[in-house]
Amino acid sequence: KMSKHTDSTAEVLLEKRGSAGIITLNRPKALNALNFSMIQQIYPQIKTWEQDPETFLIIIKGTGGKAFCAGGDIRAITAAGKAGDRLAQDFFREEYMLNNAIGTCKKPYVALIDGITMGGGVGLSVHGHFRVATEKTLFAMPETAIGLFPDVGGGYFLPRLSGKIGYYLALTGFRLKGRDVLKAGIATHFVESEKLPALEKDLIALKSPSTENIADLLNSYHVKSKVDQEKEFVLDEHMEKINSLFSANSMEEIVEKLKQDGSPFAIKQLETINKMSPTSLKMTLRQLREGASMSLQDVLTMEYRLSQACMRGHDFYEGVRAVLIDKDQSPRWRPAALEEVSDEFVDDCFKPLGSNDLKL
């Protein structure tokens, strides 16, 4: 009889093959979105493999060919938050503990981010040693559009990307595709999607590999990948503008700079930003500015406070309604304008939660 972990109907498959522990996200119909029970299975398994002298690396991937992981189970969190259910606290707490386990993992961690990789899926990959993108990778942190913020450690990795790319991605939810995910510094390698099964097989076949051995193997595949090799980075022509416009100290200032710039690029960014939750935008800008000089642990503790502020607020439920449930794409944000989101309100979102704080 197969263990529940390798049963093909399970939401996550956990198996040991060769020198590798393999995590397979297995909810293809839901684009492998991460739910609470998956988090509760993955976390202890990573901790077990980390201690196991026979496990030399951990590989994480998704099934179905469309997505690595399109995000967290937002609908369940919304329902829980509305009902005052503990899941609204527990989901974020355990998800961030998992993000930290990946970020501190002593074994090399290889994420095969083939297909849609957003939100919670970014948290399952970006903090690991190796992130392998393909021509099918679609990366985004679209949280400001649903009244949330780029969590799962976004406050750590986004401000550490070159220039102000991270601020741009966080505030606008801009989508990066394929090799651009590598060029932005989010992926460490690029391999053609059809080569992933061979790569995985070669990774599993490595005998007691070191991190260097794994890096060498990934590099050997990376250098052979010719797809879109000649194309320049999608944001290249806008980098100068992104770096100056998104370096402002406040959201109002960013908006003012975009208006003054007046270029087609700036106008497009203004249109995008105007659709986002004003509260989320202010929260996110501060999250990244503070996270830039914090450890991953301190960022996740801060983000847990922000997650609970969102659960107490209005915009998250309204954003989920407008984007995911009714799909009318017309959220009515409260407050409706940046000027109406006071510094005091934002400060409040960052306040410690006492005994309810996330402890890592």
Side-chain angles (χ1 to χ4, degrees):
K1 188 172 171 301
M2 283 196 293
S3 77
K4 69 175 179 9
H5 290 323
T6 49
D7 163 15
S8 60
T9 60
E11 297 176 318
V12 58
L13 311 175
L14 304 163
E15 52 191 328
K16 183 75 203 305
R17 285 168 49 204
S19 49
I22 302 173
I23 302 165
T24 308
L25 308 173
N26 191 37
R27 295 181 72 205
K29 287 195 175 72
L31 299 177
N32 299 324
L34 185 66
N35 65 23
F36 194 49
S37 82
M38 292 160 78
I39 294 168
Q40 289 183 300
Q41 292 173 67
I42 297 169
Y43 178 85
Q45 186 63 75
I46 287 177
K47 289 295 181 194
T48 302
W49 281 333
E50 202 173 16
Q51 299 306 317
D52 174 26
E54 300 299 303
T55 302
F56 289 86
L57 74 155
I58 296 171
I59 298 170
I60 186 167
K61 59 179 182 170
T63 51
K66 272 193 169 163
F68 165 66
C69 170
D73 192 355
I74 295 289
R75 284 166 187 265
I77 300 165
T78 310
K82 281 185 174 162
D85 184 318
R86 276 206 58 93
L87 180 72
Q89 293 166 32
D90 296 344
F91 186 95
F92 290 103
R93 187 185 298 277
E94 302 210 11
E95 182 181 23
Y96 297 177
M97 284 173 70
L98 173 55
N99 301 146
N100 185 54
I102 293 166
T104 57
C105 189
K106 292 181 182 67
K107 300 284 165 83
Y109 183 96
V110 184
L112 305 177
I113 54 170
D114 188 31
I116 301 165
T117 305
M118 295 185 185
V122 176
L124 288 176
S125 53
V126 77
H127 305 297
H129 301 85
F130 302 111
R131 288 89 63 191
V132 182
T134 75
E135 72 280 6
K136 290 188 192 168
T137 304
L138 178 61
F139 165 96
M141 292 298 277
E143 288 82 1
T144 55
I146 57 163
L148 212 52
F149 59 95
D151 65 334
V152 297
Y156 182 80
F157 84 88
L158 288 163
R160 285 168 171 78
L161 298 177
S162 67
K164 294 290 169 184
I165 288 181
Y167 291 78
Y168 172 67
L169 296 173
L171 296 168
T172 65
F174 184 80
R175 297 173 164 206
L176 291 170
K177 296 183 182 124
R179 213 177 265 271
D180 287 333
V181 179
L182 172 79
K183 290 178 178 166
I186 292 153
T188 56
H189 295 80
F190 180 91
V191 174
E192 277 110 349
S193 184
E194 62 179 44
K195 299 280 197 316
L196 289 183
L199 170 61
E200 192 185 329
K201 213 172 137 190
D202 286 348
L203 282 168
I204 291 165
L206 290 171
K207 295 275 177 274
S208 327
S210 64
T211 305
E212 289 69 37
N213 300 146
I214 293 162
D216 290 344
L217 178 59
L218 291 170
N219 290 335
S220 73
Y221 272 81
H222 174 83
V223 296
K224 289 188 200 123
S225 293
K226 300 286 182 262
V227 177
D228 292 339
Q229 211 177 15
E230 307 308 315
K231 273 172 110 175
E232 65 165 55
F233 179 46
V234 66
L235 295 174
D236 251 358
E237 54 176 321
H238 305 302
M239 265 334 290
E240 222 174 298
K241 279 199 196 304
I242 287 172
N243 291 342
S244 72
L245 298 169
F246 288 84
S247 63
N249 298 326
S250 70
M251 270 317 300
E252 287 90 342
E253 210 180 315
I254 289 176
V255 167
E256 195 44 48
K257 283 181 135 179
L258 287 166
K259 282 180 179 158
Q260 282 170 356
D261 183 280
S263 64
F265 174 76
I267 290 163
K268 201 170 164 200
Q269 305 324 308
L270 262 179
E271 283 172 8
T272 301
I273 283 171
N274 280 333
K275 293 188 181 119
M276 305 306 189
S277 155
T279 301
S280 290
L281 290 168
K282 285 205 168 176
M283 211 185 250
T284 298
L285 183 59
R286 177 157 163 194
Q287 170 205 1
L288 267 55
R289 288 172 61 86
E290 296 203 0
S293 58
M294 285 177 163
S295 67
L296 175 60
Q297 290 70 38
D298 287 343
V299 165
L300 290 166
T301 301
M302 165 179 74
E303 290 180 358
Y304 184 71
R305 293 165 185 169
L306 296 178
S307 77
Q308 297 311 294
C310 290
M311 293 302 102
R312 294 191 300 268
H314 164 271
D315 280 7
F316 170 65
Y317 303 102
E318 174 58 13
V320 170
R321 180 205 66 73
V323 175
L324 299 178
I325 297 170
D326 298 341
K327 300 191 171 147
D328 57 30
Q329 312 299 330
S330 311
R332 291 180 282 283
W333 304 123
R334 286 210 310 259
L338 286 169
E339 294 68 37
E340 294 165 25
V341 182
S342 71
D343 291 346
E344 292 73 40
F345 178 82
V346 178
D347 287 345
D348 213 40
C349 298
F350 284 81
K351 282 207 176 94
L353 300 171
S355 61
N356 286 326
D357 255 334
L358 174 66
K359 291 166 195 71
L360 295 169

